[in-house]
Amino acid sequence: MLDQVPLFEGLSLDELSVIERHAVRKSYRKNTVIIERGDEANTLFVLLEGRVKTYIADESGKEIVLNELGPGAQLGELALLADIPRTASVMTVDRSVFLVLTKRSFLQCLADHPNIALNLIRLLVQRTQVLTESVSNLALHDVYGRVIKVLNDSAKEEKGELITHSLTHQQIADRVGSSREMVSKILKDLKTGGYLTNTGKRFIVQRKLPAKW
Protein backbone atom coordinates (compact mmCIF):
# COMPACT_ATOMS: atom_id res chain seq x y z
CA MET A 1 0.00 0.00 0.00
CA LEU A 2 2.93 2.37 0.63
CA ASP A 3 3.76 2.35 -3.09
CA GLN A 4 0.63 4.52 -3.55
CA VAL A 5 1.76 7.15 -1.01
CA PRO A 6 3.38 10.19 -2.69
CA LEU A 7 5.86 10.61 0.17
CA PHE A 8 7.47 7.26 -0.68
CA GLU A 9 7.35 7.60 -4.45
CA GLY A 10 10.43 6.17 -6.20
CA LEU A 11 11.35 3.65 -3.49
CA SER A 12 11.75 -0.02 -4.31
CA LEU A 13 9.46 -2.68 -2.84
CA ASP A 14 12.30 -3.84 -0.57
CA GLU A 15 12.80 -0.31 0.74
CA LEU A 16 9.08 0.11 1.30
CA SER A 17 8.90 -3.16 3.21
CA VAL A 18 11.70 -1.98 5.53
CA ILE A 19 9.80 1.23 6.28
CA GLU A 20 6.57 -0.66 6.88
CA ARG A 21 8.32 -2.93 9.37
CA HIS A 22 9.30 0.12 11.42
CA ALA A 23 5.77 1.54 11.36
CA VAL A 24 2.60 0.75 13.29
CA ARG A 25 -0.81 0.60 11.63
CA LYS A 26 -3.54 2.36 13.64
CA SER A 27 -7.27 2.80 13.04
CA TYR A 28 -9.33 5.67 14.47
CA ARG A 29 -13.05 6.29 14.62
CA LYS A 30 -14.74 9.25 12.94
CA ASN A 31 -14.31 12.59 14.77
CA THR A 32 -11.18 11.49 16.66
CA VAL A 33 -8.48 14.10 17.30
CA ILE A 34 -5.16 12.46 16.45
CA ILE A 35 -2.97 15.57 16.66
CA GLU A 36 -3.56 18.45 19.06
CA ARG A 37 -2.12 21.88 18.36
CA GLY A 38 0.67 22.67 20.85
CA ASP A 39 1.49 19.04 21.67
CA GLU A 40 5.02 17.70 21.49
CA ALA A 41 5.84 16.25 18.07
CA ASN A 42 7.06 12.66 18.19
CA THR A 43 5.26 10.82 15.38
CA LEU A 44 4.50 11.06 11.66
CA PHE A 45 1.09 9.92 10.42
CA VAL A 46 0.55 8.63 6.87
CA LEU A 47 -3.13 8.41 5.95
CA LEU A 48 -3.96 5.12 4.22
CA GLU A 49 -7.77 5.16 4.34
CA GLY A 50 -10.42 7.76 5.21
CA ARG A 51 -10.34 11.56 5.43
CA VAL A 52 -9.07 14.09 7.96
CA LYS A 53 -9.26 17.83 8.51
CA THR A 54 -6.48 20.09 9.73
CA TYR A 55 -7.73 23.01 11.78
CA ILE A 56 -7.04 25.67 14.38
CA ALA A 57 -9.49 26.25 17.25
CA ASP A 58 -9.68 29.02 19.84
CA GLU A 59 -10.54 28.66 23.52
CA SER A 60 -14.27 29.01 22.81
CA GLY A 61 -14.14 26.09 20.36
CA LYS A 62 -14.53 28.16 17.19
CA GLU A 63 -12.66 26.46 14.34
CA ILE A 64 -10.98 27.50 11.14
CA VAL A 65 -10.43 24.50 8.87
CA LEU A 66 -7.15 24.78 7.00
CA ASN A 67 -7.53 21.76 4.76
CA GLU A 68 -9.18 18.38 4.22
CA LEU A 69 -6.93 15.52 3.18
CA GLY A 70 -7.47 12.03 1.81
CA PRO A 71 -5.41 8.83 1.42
CA GLY A 72 -1.72 9.35 0.76
CA ALA A 73 -1.35 12.49 2.88
CA GLN A 74 1.38 12.78 5.48
CA LEU A 75 0.59 14.60 8.74
CA GLY A 76 2.81 16.12 11.39
CA GLU A 77 6.04 16.26 9.43
CA LEU A 78 6.66 20.00 9.90
CA ALA A 79 6.83 19.81 13.69
CA LEU A 80 9.10 16.76 13.47
CA LEU A 81 11.56 18.41 11.11
CA ALA A 82 11.63 21.75 12.92
CA ASP A 83 11.53 20.18 16.39
CA ILE A 84 8.64 22.44 17.43
CA PRO A 85 5.20 21.82 18.98
CA ARG A 86 2.33 20.82 16.69
CA THR A 87 1.20 23.85 14.66
CA ALA A 88 -2.38 22.66 13.98
CA SER A 89 -4.83 20.03 15.12
CA VAL A 90 -5.95 17.06 13.02
CA MET A 91 -9.29 15.24 13.33
CA THR A 92 -10.67 12.30 11.38
CA VAL A 93 -13.70 13.16 9.23
CA ASP A 94 -14.39 9.48 8.49
CA ARG A 95 -13.11 6.27 10.04
CA SER A 96 -9.43 6.39 9.11
CA VAL A 97 -6.40 4.10 9.00
CA PHE A 98 -2.86 5.41 9.43
CA LEU A 99 0.68 4.18 9.26
CA VAL A 100 2.50 5.75 12.20
CA LEU A 101 6.27 6.29 12.29
CA THR A 102 8.15 7.49 15.36
CA LYS A 103 10.31 10.57 15.02
CA ARG A 104 13.46 8.45 15.20
CA SER A 105 12.25 6.06 12.47
CA PHE A 106 11.15 8.92 10.22
CA LEU A 107 14.45 10.77 10.49
CA GLN A 108 16.29 7.51 9.79
CA CYS A 109 14.13 7.04 6.66
CA LEU A 110 15.17 10.51 5.48
CA ALA A 111 18.82 9.70 6.06
CA ASP A 112 18.64 6.31 4.31
CA HIS A 113 16.46 7.35 1.36
CA PRO A 114 17.17 10.78 -0.19
CA ASN A 115 14.16 10.31 -2.47
CA ILE A 116 11.89 10.75 0.55
CA ALA A 117 13.44 14.14 1.32
CA LEU A 118 12.91 15.27 -2.28
CA ASN A 119 9.31 14.02 -2.25
CA LEU A 120 8.74 15.81 1.06
CA ILE A 121 9.96 19.13 -0.34
CA ARG A 122 7.61 18.77 -3.31
CA LEU A 123 4.63 17.90 -1.10
CA LEU A 124 5.35 20.80 1.29
CA VAL A 125 5.43 23.20 -1.65
CA GLN A 126 2.06 21.87 -2.80
CA ARG A 127 0.64 22.24 0.70
CA THR A 128 1.94 25.81 0.94
CA GLN A 129 0.20 26.58 -2.35
CA VAL A 130 -3.09 25.17 -1.03
CA LEU A 131 -2.82 27.21 2.18
CA THR A 132 -2.00 30.35 0.20
CA GLU A 133 -5.10 29.80 -1.93
CA SER A 134 -7.18 29.24 1.21
CA VAL A 135 -6.00 32.50 2.78
CA SER A 136 -6.61 34.35 -0.50
CA ASN A 137 -10.08 32.83 -0.70
CA LEU A 138 -10.94 34.06 2.81
CA ALA A 139 -9.58 37.52 2.09
CA LEU A 140 -10.88 38.13 -1.43
CA HIS A 141 -14.25 36.35 -1.62
CA ASP A 142 -17.52 36.79 0.24
CA VAL A 143 -19.18 33.88 2.05
CA TYR A 144 -21.08 32.81 -1.06
CA GLY A 145 -17.89 32.73 -3.14
CA ARG A 146 -16.14 30.65 -0.50
CA VAL A 147 -19.04 28.17 -0.32
CA ILE A 148 -19.00 27.79 -4.11
CA LYS A 149 -15.27 27.11 -4.04
CA VAL A 150 -15.70 24.37 -1.42
CA LEU A 151 -18.42 22.71 -3.50
CA ASN A 152 -16.45 22.97 -6.75
CA ASP A 153 -13.22 21.71 -5.16
CA SER A 154 -15.01 18.77 -3.52
CA ALA A 155 -17.05 17.68 -6.54
CA LYS A 156 -15.71 14.72 -8.54
CA GLU A 157 -17.28 13.05 -11.55
CA GLU A 158 -19.13 9.83 -10.79
CA LYS A 159 -21.17 8.14 -13.54
CA GLY A 160 -21.53 11.39 -15.44
CA GLU A 161 -22.47 13.50 -12.41
CA LEU A 162 -20.45 15.93 -10.30
CA ILE A 163 -20.80 14.75 -6.69
CA THR A 164 -19.03 16.01 -3.57
CA HIS A 165 -17.79 13.80 -0.78
CA SER A 166 -19.87 13.82 2.41
CA LEU A 167 -20.26 17.41 3.67
CA THR A 168 -22.46 18.72 6.47
CA HIS A 169 -23.56 22.34 6.60
CA GLN A 170 -21.38 22.80 9.70
CA GLN A 171 -18.32 21.36 7.96
CA ILE A 172 -18.75 23.80 5.10
CA ALA A 173 -19.23 26.66 7.57
CA ASP A 174 -15.98 25.71 9.32
CA ARG A 175 -14.18 25.69 5.97
CA VAL A 176 -15.41 29.13 4.91
CA GLY A 177 -15.31 30.89 8.27
CA SER A 178 -19.04 31.58 8.49
CA SER A 179 -22.10 30.51 10.46
CA ARG A 180 -24.00 27.31 9.72
CA GLU A 181 -27.19 29.38 9.29
CA MET A 182 -25.67 31.48 6.49
CA VAL A 183 -24.31 28.39 4.72
CA SER A 184 -27.71 26.66 5.01
CA LYS A 185 -29.43 29.67 3.43
CA ILE A 186 -26.98 29.70 0.50
CA LEU A 187 -27.38 25.96 -0.09
CA LYS A 188 -31.17 26.24 0.11
CA ASP A 189 -31.16 28.99 -2.52
CA LEU A 190 -28.92 26.93 -4.81
CA LYS A 191 -31.29 23.97 -4.49
CA THR A 192 -34.33 26.19 -5.17
CA GLY A 193 -32.61 27.52 -8.28
CA GLY A 194 -31.98 24.01 -9.57
CA TYR A 195 -28.19 24.28 -9.31
CA LEU A 196 -27.77 21.75 -6.54
CA THR A 197 -29.40 18.61 -5.19
CA ASN A 198 -28.23 16.22 -2.52
CA THR A 199 -28.17 12.54 -1.73
CA GLY A 200 -27.65 12.09 1.98
CA LYS A 201 -24.75 14.39 2.91
CA ARG A 202 -23.34 14.47 -0.63
CA PHE A 203 -24.20 17.31 -2.98
CA ILE A 204 -24.80 16.88 -6.72
CA VAL A 205 -23.89 19.86 -8.90
CA GLN A 206 -26.60 19.92 -11.58
CA ARG A 207 -25.18 22.83 -13.58
CA LYS A 208 -22.47 25.44 -13.29
CA LEU A 209 -22.84 27.30 -10.02
CA PRO A 210 -23.43 31.05 -10.47
CA ALA A 211 -20.51 33.36 -9.68
CA LYS A 212 -22.70 35.78 -7.73
CA TRP A 213 -25.47 35.23 -5.19
Side-chain angles (χ1 to χ4, degrees):
M1 190 172 289
L2 286 186
D3 59 343
Q4 300 175 25
V5 176
L7 180 61
F8 302 118
E9 185 178 327
L11 272 61
S12 69
L13 292 178
D14 287 341
E15 290 170 327
L16 291 173
S17 65
V18 170
I19 293 172
E20 196 154 9
R21 284 201 298 271
H22 286 86
V24 176
R25 189 179 295 253
K26 291 188 176 182
S27 177
Y28 294 91
R29 295 179 180 177
K30 178 180 178 179
N31 296 331
T32 300
V33 176
I34 63 166
I35 293 177
E36 189 81 51
R37 185 184 183 198
D39 283 354
E40 179 183 357
N42 50 30
T43 50
L44 170 78
F45 293 83
V46 178
L47 181 59
L48 301 179
E49 301 174 24
R51 292 188 66 81
V52 301
K53 67 176 181 180
T54 61
Y55 66 97
I56 296 174
D58 62 19
E59 293 181 356
S60 67
K62 183 178 180 181
E63 293 181 4
I64 292 293
V65 176
L66 303 175
N67 205 355
E68 282 200 14
L69 302 168
Q74 80 281 350
L75 304 158
E77 74 289 335
L78 285 178
L80 287 182
L81 293 172
D83 199 22
I84 58 175
R86 302 293 195 187
T87 56
S89 300
V90 179
M91 175 186 287
T92 58
V93 176
D94 303 315
R95 178 187 174 278
S96 301
V97 179
F98 300 86
L99 207 63
V100 184
L101 281 164
T102 65
K103 180 176 182 178
R104 180 178 179 180
S105 295
F106 176 56
L107 294 179
Q108 189 62 53
C109 285
L110 291 179
D112 293 343
H113 309 291
N115 277 355
I116 295 180
L118 294 174
N119 290 340
L120 185 58
I121 292 171
R122 175 172 51 81
L123 293 169
L124 289 177
V125 169
Q126 292 174 354
R127 187 173 296 178
T128 299
Q129 182 181 16
V130 169
L131 288 175
T132 300
E133 289 177 354
S134 295
V135 172
S136 297
N137 187 46
L138 285 171
L140 301 176
H141 294 86
D142 58 14
V143 174
Y144 174 79
R146 298 199 292 270
V147 170
I148 293 306
K149 189 172 191 311
V150 169
L151 293 171
N152 284 332
D153 289 350
S154 301
K156 306 297 180 186
E157 186 171 344
E158 294 184 19
K159 298 179 180 178
E161 293 185 311
L162 284 175
I163 306 178
T164 71
H165 59 74
S166 179
L167 284 170
T168 66
H169 291 200
Q170 186 61 57
Q171 286 172 333
I172 296 174
D174 291 340
R175 289 280 297 276
V176 304
S178 181
S179 67
R180 183 182 60 79
E181 290 76 15
M182 175 61 77
V183 169
S184 295
K185 177 170 175 50
I186 291 171
L187 294 173
K188 180 180 178 182
D189 286 352
L190 288 171
K191 291 177 185 177
T192 300
Y195 294 96
L196 206 65
T197 58
N198 66 287
T199 172
K201 294 179 181 178
R202 304 181 72 196
F203 295 95
I204 304 171
V205 180
Q206 299 290 352
R207 52 197 175 107
K208 184 177 180 181
L209 301 173
K212 299 291 184 179
W213 187 31

